[in-house]
Amino acid sequence: MLMSVIARQCESVDYSELSGARVLITGLTSETGFDLARGFADHGARLIIQSPEDSPEMTELAAVLAENSAAMKLFNDPLASDDQALKLVQTAVQEFGGLDIVINLVSVPAADVARLETMEDVEGLVSDALRIPLRLTESAANRMRLVWVEGSILNIVRMPDAGGGRAAMLADVLRAALQDLTRAMATTWSEQGIRINAVAPPSSVGALSGQRAASDADLSAFALQLASRKSRSVSGYVLDAEGAAQRWG
């Protein structure tokens, strides 16, 4: 596990360099990602938040983030196409004059998992789940390159616990695809100093041995660590963030 390697890189947690950082977080909902966004807000980052949810709960959470962050913008525009993904990155860059950190949150609905019947269905769902994060990653990395920003991009994919059957098969295929894409993108952008990593759901073997998906607190601890200067040599990895909050908190 690379988690122990990252943990050894720092004896104390200091994220003062994140003050004023320009952070784009996509896929935030009232159920997923708030702790992560609040972690950056509490460190004085400037936030661009994209949420597919337009609800009173999301409005209240956005108000909390706005109180604590150096600046915050919330967008409820959908991310259903490549053009919408590219437009969001462009808008974020225009708002803050660039991007330092991008975090894409992807949740695979349980209903979609329940409908899986064939390997073709599994591969199609994996392709659909990763398409927009891939476009966001490519667009954000290109923008960072143009202005010589050595940024950090993190793709977080969550799905129902893979206890067996369809979910287990999906978890393994999804994890393998995410590993291939992450390594390829990290290699492509390494010369520009742009780091690309991912968090995947537990594999079927991991789930059977008791491993569970990372909590929001774990994801927050992990995302902050990866965005800090202490992890500037970490790129191209697909990791499990379970227990990160206890390890680094």
Side-chain angles (χ1 to χ4, degrees):
M1 291 288 295
L2 187 70
M3 299 297 289
S4 59
V5 176
I6 296 177
R8 287 196 300 269
Q9 290 180 351
C10 60
E11 295 180 356
S12 61
V13 179
D14 177 13
Y15 302 129
S16 58
E17 71 269 26
L18 298 180
S19 177
R22 300 162 296 183
V23 183
L24 170 63
I25 302 175
T26 72
L28 184 76
T29 70
S30 58
E31 296 182 353
T32 299
F34 175 70
D35 283 349
L36 185 154
R38 185 175 59 183
F40 283 96
D42 289 347
H43 282 85
R46 293 175 284 171
L47 303 179
I48 294 283
I49 303 293
Q50 183 276 333
S51 174
E53 178 183 339
D54 188 4
S55 67
E57 293 80 8
M58 193 63 233
T59 300
E60 291 179 8
L61 294 179
V64 173
L65 294 175
E67 289 178 359
N68 296 324
S69 60
M72 202 278 288
K73 294 282 188 179
L74 173 66
F75 294 93
N76 293 113
D77 297 331
L79 285 179
S81 70
D82 292 359
D83 287 344
Q84 289 168 337
L86 296 176
K87 182 180 178 181
L88 175 64
V89 172
Q90 182 181 25
T91 300
V93 169
Q94 290 173 344
E95 286 286 343
F96 291 151
L99 287 171
D100 302 298
I101 300 159
V102 176
I103 301 171
N104 301 310
L105 299 164
V106 182
S107 295
V108 179
D112 290 352
V113 178
R115 286 193 291 266
L116 297 174
E117 294 184 358
T118 66
M119 180 55 73
E120 287 74 18
D121 293 339
V122 171
E123 292 173 348
L125 182 54
V126 168
S127 178
D128 290 343
L130 298 182
R131 181 172 57 85
I132 295 301
L134 175 61
R135 295 294 174 264
L136 289 166
T137 298
E138 291 174 336
S139 179
N142 187 53
R143 292 285 178 167
M144 292 173 179
R145 175 187 63 84
L146 291 174
V147 292
W148 299 90
V149 170
E150 295 186 353
S152 172
I153 302 175
L154 177 63
N155 293 307
I156 300 173
V157 183
R158 309 182 83 179
M159 58 167 283
D161 287 339
R166 298 181 181 91
M169 180 169 56
L170 176 64
D172 289 342
V173 175
L174 178 57
R175 194 177 183 90
L178 190 58
Q179 285 176 335
D180 289 344
L181 289 171
T182 301
R183 289 168 182 163
M185 291 187 294
T187 299
T188 298
W189 297 102
S190 61
E191 291 187 3
Q192 284 73 41
I194 299 168
R195 297 175 286 116
I196 300 173
N197 294 287
V199 174
S203 67
S204 59
V205 174
L208 288 173
S209 65
Q211 187 179 17
R212 293 292 177 261
S215 67
D216 271 8
D218 287 332
L219 292 176
S220 176
F222 188 54
L224 288 167
Q225 175 69 16
L226 275 182
S228 74
R229 66 171 64 97
K230 296 181 177 71
S231 297
R232 57 190 154 192
S233 63
V234 179
S235 187
Y237 291 93
V238 174
L239 310 168
D240 303 305
E242 185 183 25
Q246 289 73 29
R247 190 184 303 269
W248 297 329

